[in-house]
Amino acid sequence: MKLELKSIDKSFGEKKVLSEVSLETDSGKAFGLLGRNGAGKTTTIRILMNVFPADGGEVLIDGKPIDYQQTSIGYLPEERGLYPKKPVLEQLVYFAALHGMGRREAVREIDRWLEKLGMSEYRNKRLDTLSKGNQQKIQLITALVHDPDIVILDEPFSGLDPVNAQMLKDVVREQIARDKIVLFSSHQMNYIEEFCNRIAILNQGKIVLQGELREIKHDYPRDRLVLRSEQPEALRAAFGEACQTMDDGALLLRLRAPEEKKAVMRRLAEDFELDEVRVFEPSLNDIFVEYAGDAGEEEQA
Amino acid sequence: MKQFFTIFRFELGNYLKNKVFIGITLAVMLILAALLSYPRLSALLTSEGDEAADKQEQMLLLAGEEEQALLLPAFAAAFPGYELSAAQSEEEIREKVAGGEADCAFSFDGLRSFTYYVDNLSMTDEVAPTAQALLRQLYQAQVMLENGMTPAQVDEAMNAEIDFQVETLGKNQTLSFLYTYLMVMVLYMMIMLYGVMVCNSVASEKSSRAMELLVTSAKPTAMMFGKVLAACLAGLLQFGLMIGTAILAFRLNRDYLDESGILAAMFDIPTGVLVHMLVFIVLGFLLYAFLYGAIGSMAMRREDTNTTVMPLMFLLMFSLFTVIFSMTSGKMDGLLIKICSFVPFTAPMAMFARAAMSTVPVWELALSIALLLLAMVGAGILGAKIYRVGVLLYGTPPKLSAILKALKKA
């Protein structure tokens, strides 16, 4: 199954929130939708989920306009929240029923999920008696219980301790292995790097970068070298502005052009005492900061 | 449609499983049943046990010897519920009445002037006016005797029977007043209480952020209609059970209840009135509840609704007071209430009261219901639109102009 968003436009009043947003991803893959607060991630997700219509553009499944009766979507919202005063089982059944599940089937699936996440003992407890991490797990069940074709996880790892984060990772891996379309939206780049094959970066309502994560990294201009040396002062003196100290103490040397690489490396090896020389490969974090970091931001959830 | 029923069931369950809801409903039903069955039960107990002597109220009379002889039998006949005795002095009267030994007392100065003593003067105390009328009669009789009429003639003149009948061509307002009042209160309370509950339930879904998930799982229209109709049914159930219990208990105990007819006037409700009541309560509630729901959807937190529901509250209170003033003044065909009975926001109470207490032409009733129905549908459509926009709003409460703009687009 292939999910495409084609040239989605959306304005709220005078404010243009999305312009020409196009995405595509396949089942069995995880897609990372990145962007700062107010970049338009939630709006994109809401249009995908048919909460409100786009002003222009279309959402396609395998090339045809999406039919929400056929394609089910599971959603873990960034702003978590259920009914605090209601027992766990009752509200899970309610949300499952809203997705069209029968009661008996819903209870069976919910019990399976509770068991799987080690939450069976909380089945009949009121939600507000649960710890925050456990409430998150209940919320996760609402997103997955109806076995949706598309799973949308908005900041899924925020607020989870390492053990619960590991549990969530396993669940996400399982969804990917079961050929679901998984859509991540997050600021936590390490998780995106861990799961996502494709990413798109939204900035002020526009896609500024999209593609396979591996290719993006590979295509990134290879014009920087990472140097580790016993005598960083000498290096800095020799290269001046182009040479900067990184957080971990290594030096980052920016070349004038990628073609210089060989010549510079040779010169470095001859003139300096070096422990390490390698081509700098950016992390997703670096890429994100570069593409999403410049423009001023406005709060718009 | 399936989603609507899912939501409707869930919301209805919220009411019916609520312990406070169950508790209040049962408690009120029990109290009503107990109150209305009390005379029968106590009659049962007293007839079996000792004949408990009716406690008579004590009345003291202070007058000259001559007047005393005249007044005692006359007062005894006029106040059958009182035990009369002569007092010796004003001090004795004050002491006994204030101390509770006597319930009331009279001190006479001749036959044309008296002082009435009572501890707490109740609003409905009829003793003094009765005594006044009695004295007037005594005085008149005395004058007649002095002017040469025979006692038989005097007796004939003073006690002439006047025969009269009342033929009610429209409706008897003395009979319909109390149950109309009761029903108008029920209308008011149901719209107010359940309307606010709808509003708060939407607002708390927003503040708990359950809304984030709900809007992606269900259509806002299904959400709003499910909520409002569930509240409507829950309210009808609650008030229906309460009133039903009262009517049933009244009918079962009718023979043992009251000579005064107050209870009959309250609970002996004609079926036609009940049908009107049902129509107006459902339409009126839905009209208001759709708007309450819309207001709830615009709120950011639950506290926000406290002030935003005020315009609706004032509308409701305005119609309640208009209706009650018209009812108590007996002018059910006044201009104000006539206008109110066609304006959809005031019509549920105003037209219901008019129909229950006076004769309203069928076309007026039909027109009022049609207008109300129209307004209700309009409120439903408008409410759903506001709701769709409102539930997605977070942050600062929007300005009215922004809402209107958003509505135009929705």
Side-chain angles (χ1 to χ4, degrees):
Chain A
M1 206 162 74
K2 185 188 183 97
L3 168 70
E4 281 174 280
L5 272 69
K6 273 203 169 153
S7 327
I8 301 284
D9 281 310
K10 181 75 189 174
S11 306
F12 291 124
E14 301 294 298
K15 194 173 152 63
K16 187 120 183 153
V17 186
L18 296 179
S19 61
E20 297 284 314
V21 169
S22 297
L23 305 170
E24 62 172 272
T25 180
D26 291 298
S27 47
K29 298 257 173 66
F31 184 90
L33 185 60
L34 315 181
R36 300 172 66 187
N37 297 323
K41 286 172 300 187
T42 309
T43 306
T44 308
I45 289 170
R46 283 181 172 165
I47 286 171
L48 168 58
M49 297 191 71
N50 199 25
V51 173
F52 41 65
D55 297 341
E58 45 191 350
V59 180
L60 304 173
I61 292 285
D62 292 330
K64 281 178 280 216
I66 185 168
D67 176 356
Y68 291 96
Q69 302 298 320
Q70 297 289 317
T71 311
S72 58
I73 302 180
Y75 178 45
L76 181 73
E78 181 179 2
E79 296 269 10
R80 310 288 150 74
L82 296 167
Y83 293 100
K85 305 283 175 208
K86 290 248 153 216
V88 166
L89 182 71
E90 193 183 329
Q91 50 188 316
L92 285 176
V93 168
Y94 177 50
F95 283 108
L98 286 179
H99 286 292
M101 289 178 93
R103 190 186 160 83
R104 193 178 297 179
E105 185 196 2
V107 172
R108 196 182 58 226
E109 283 301 300
I110 289 163
D111 280 336
R112 196 174 65 78
W113 274 104
L114 286 172
E115 172 88 46
K116 187 169 174 161
L117 300 180
M119 300 282 293
S120 294
E121 58 181 307
Y122 302 108
R123 190 176 187 264
N124 296 313
K125 293 252 166 47
R126 257 172 46 171
L127 186 76
D128 57 2
T129 62
L130 273 59
S131 71
K132 196 168 168 236
N134 284 339
Q135 290 191 23
Q136 293 241 45
K137 290 192 203 169
I138 300 300
Q139 187 106 36
L140 181 67
I141 296 177
T142 62
L144 296 172
V145 67
H146 55 293
D147 199 22
D149 306 308
I150 301 173
V151 180
I152 301 174
L153 305 171
D154 202 343
E155 291 294 350
F157 292 97
S158 75
L160 289 185
D161 64 38
V163 178
N164 284 334
Q166 185 57 47
M167 193 177 270
L168 177 59
K169 280 189 205 171
D170 294 340
V171 169
V172 172
R173 278 204 193 88
E174 186 195 275
Q175 294 295 317
I176 296 171
R178 293 185 59 215
D179 232 19
K180 307 288 181 187
I181 293 175
V182 179
L183 213 142
F184 265 105
S185 163
S186 183
H187 301 126
Q188 286 169 288
M189 298 302 156
N190 51 334
Y191 291 114
I192 300 274
E193 273 191 294
E194 198 171 335
F195 287 111
C196 295
N197 318 76
R198 283 179 74 83
I199 61 153
I201 297 179
L202 263 175
N203 191 2
Q204 295 199 313
K206 294 192 186 73
I207 299 277
V208 288
L209 180 70
Q210 178 172 205
E212 297 286 329
L213 188 51
R214 204 163 27 88
E215 285 170 23
I216 288 174
K217 284 190 174 180
H218 194 262
D219 291 351
Y220 213 77
R222 301 171 79 77
D223 59 354
R224 278 176 283 183
L225 298 177
V226 179
L227 311 174
R228 221 175 263 282
S229 168
E230 295 297 319
Q231 29 186 245
E233 306 307 323
L235 279 164
R236 259 204 299 270
F239 291 96
E241 284 285 292
C243 187
Q244 284 175 334
T245 312
M246 293 201 295
D247 292 341
D248 60 355
L251 294 170
L252 184 66
L253 179 62
R254 185 181 286 274
L255 308 176
R256 267 162 301 193
E259 297 77 44
E260 277 192 346
K261 197 164 58 192
K262 269 191 178 160
V264 175
M265 281 171 97
R266 215 176 293 132
R267 186 182 148 206
L268 282 167
E270 283 167 14
D271 298 355
F272 299 95
E273 196 64 40
L274 290 174
D275 298 335
E276 184 191 352
V277 182
R278 65 178 161 85
V279 177
F280 173 77
E281 197 166 68
S283 68
L284 184 54
N285 208 49
D286 299 317
I287 297 171
F288 181 77
V289 170
E290 178 168 342
Y291 279 90
D294 45 326
E297 72 179 278
E298 270 176 89
E299 272 301 318
Q300 155 80 70
Chain B
M1 212 51 191
K2 199 179 162 202
Q3 276 188 341
F4 164 77
F5 283 113
T6 305
I7 294 164
F8 179 76
R9 270 221 309 274
F10 180 78
E11 295 289 339
L12 190 60
N14 283 350
Y15 290 107
L16 301 189
K17 285 185 213 156
N18 186 314
K19 287 188 188 102
V20 180
F21 178 91
I22 299 172
I24 289 180
T25 312
L26 285 181
V28 170
M29 284 168 71
L30 255 160
I31 292 170
L32 283 172
L35 282 178
L36 288 168
S37 311
Y38 176 76
R40 180 181 215 166
L41 291 176
S42 73
L44 220 67
L45 291 176
T46 43
S47 65
E48 277 174 8
D50 300 38
E51 288 261 335
D54 269 346
K55 191 180 170 294
Q56 286 213 309
E57 304 212 35
Q58 300 292 323
M59 184 189 284
L60 299 176
L61 299 181
L62 174 63
E65 224 164 283
E66 201 176 317
E67 285 98 20
Q68 193 87 280
L70 193 64
L71 287 168
L72 267 175
F75 269 66
F79 297 103
Y82 289 86
E83 193 176 315
L84 302 172
S85 45
Q88 301 310 318
S89 67
E90 216 178 291
E91 286 72 46
E92 183 194 346
I93 285 177
R94 286 180 183 282
E95 198 177 298
K96 285 194 171 166
V97 171
E101 264 178 82
D103 296 283
C104 58
F106 287 93
S107 151
F108 297 93
D109 183 12
L111 280 184
R112 296 186 59 181
S113 164
F114 67 84
T115 311
Y116 173 54
Y117 297 88
V118 67
D119 191 13
N120 295 316
L121 183 62
S122 109
M123 219 165 73
T124 56
D125 196 322
E126 291 291 325
V127 174
T130 311
Q132 189 187 23
L134 185 62
L135 284 181
R136 190 177 292 128
Q137 277 188 1
L138 286 175
Y139 179 73
Q140 286 164 346
Q142 212 174 26
V143 172
M144 285 188 231
L145 283 172
E146 279 166 13
N147 284 290
M149 286 173 85
T150 63
Q153 279 174 321
V154 172
D155 190 50
E156 155 69 26
M158 296 300 296
N159 297 312
E161 288 276 344
I162 309 291
D163 203 27
F164 79 103
Q165 281 104 33
V166 176
E167 203 163 314
T168 314
L169 297 178
K171 291 193 175 151
N172 185 342
Q173 294 194 351
T174 51
L175 278 183
S176 57
F177 181 84
L178 274 174
Y179 65 69
T180 307
Y181 193 92
L182 184 80
M183 292 280 128
V184 166
M185 282 318 251
V186 167
L187 252 162
Y188 173 74
M189 274 168 59
M190 164 139 169
I191 294 177
M192 180 89 117
L193 291 176
Y194 280 85
V196 170
M197 279 196 248
V198 167
C199 185
N200 281 340
S201 130
V202 181
S204 58
E205 269 172 4
K206 269 190 85 177
S207 66
S208 78
R209 305 280 157 148
M211 196 57 96
E212 295 272 328
L213 196 56
L214 279 172
V215 288
T216 59
S217 312
K219 289 273 148 221
T221 33
M223 273 152 62
M224 192 180 81
F225 284 96
K227 238 180 222 313
V228 167
L229 290 172
C232 184
L233 188 61
L236 285 180
L237 253 168
Q238 183 172 44
F239 285 106
L241 279 172
M242 290 173 178
I243 297 170
T245 308
I247 293 178
L248 187 70
F250 172 75
R251 296 210 168 143
L252 287 177
N253 297 302
R254 185 191 288 260
D255 297 343
Y256 295 85
L257 288 167
D258 84 338
E259 300 88 43
S260 65
I262 288 180
L263 285 170
M266 216 185 294
F267 296 120
D268 201 5
I269 308 172
T271 318
V273 171
L274 286 175
V275 172
H276 281 164
M277 171 77 183
L278 193 66
V279 170
F280 282 112
I281 209 171
V282 168
L283 293 180
F285 176 76
L286 292 180
L287 169 66
Y288 276 92
F290 287 137
L291 299 179
Y292 271 118
I295 287 174
S297 77
M298 305 299 294
M300 303 302 134
R301 291 172 303 273
R302 225 179 125 148
E303 304 88 84
D304 291 347
T305 61
N306 292 346
T307 45
T308 43
V309 295
M310 287 234 287
L312 285 184
M313 295 268 195
F314 279 124
L315 260 177
L316 263 176
M317 270 147 74
F318 172 76
S319 38
L320 178 71
F321 288 125
T322 311
V323 169
I324 288 190
F325 284 140
S326 304
M327 281 172 67
T328 43
S329 64
K331 292 191 184 120
M332 294 309 288
D333 293 315
L335 185 62
L336 183 62
I337 191 159
K338 249 190 178 155
I339 294 172
C340 284
S341 67
F342 292 105
V343 176
F345 285 102
T346 47
M349 282 183 235
M351 187 46 100
F352 168 74
R354 276 188 66 202
M357 288 185 66
S358 66
T359 312
V360 177
V362 177
W363 71 266
E364 283 193 17
L365 196 67
L367 179 64
S368 168
I369 291 178
L371 286 175
L372 182 55
L373 193 69
L374 218 65
M376 189 269 281
V377 171
I381 293 170
L382 180 75
K385 275 189 174 183
I386 296 180
Y387 199 94
R388 257 207 320 261
V389 177
V391 290
L392 294 170
L393 287 173
Y394 281 104
T396 48
K399 292 204 184 73
L400 192 67
S401 57
I403 297 169
L404 293 178
K405 217 180 270 174
L407 278 180
K408 232 180 265 168
K409 290 195 69 184

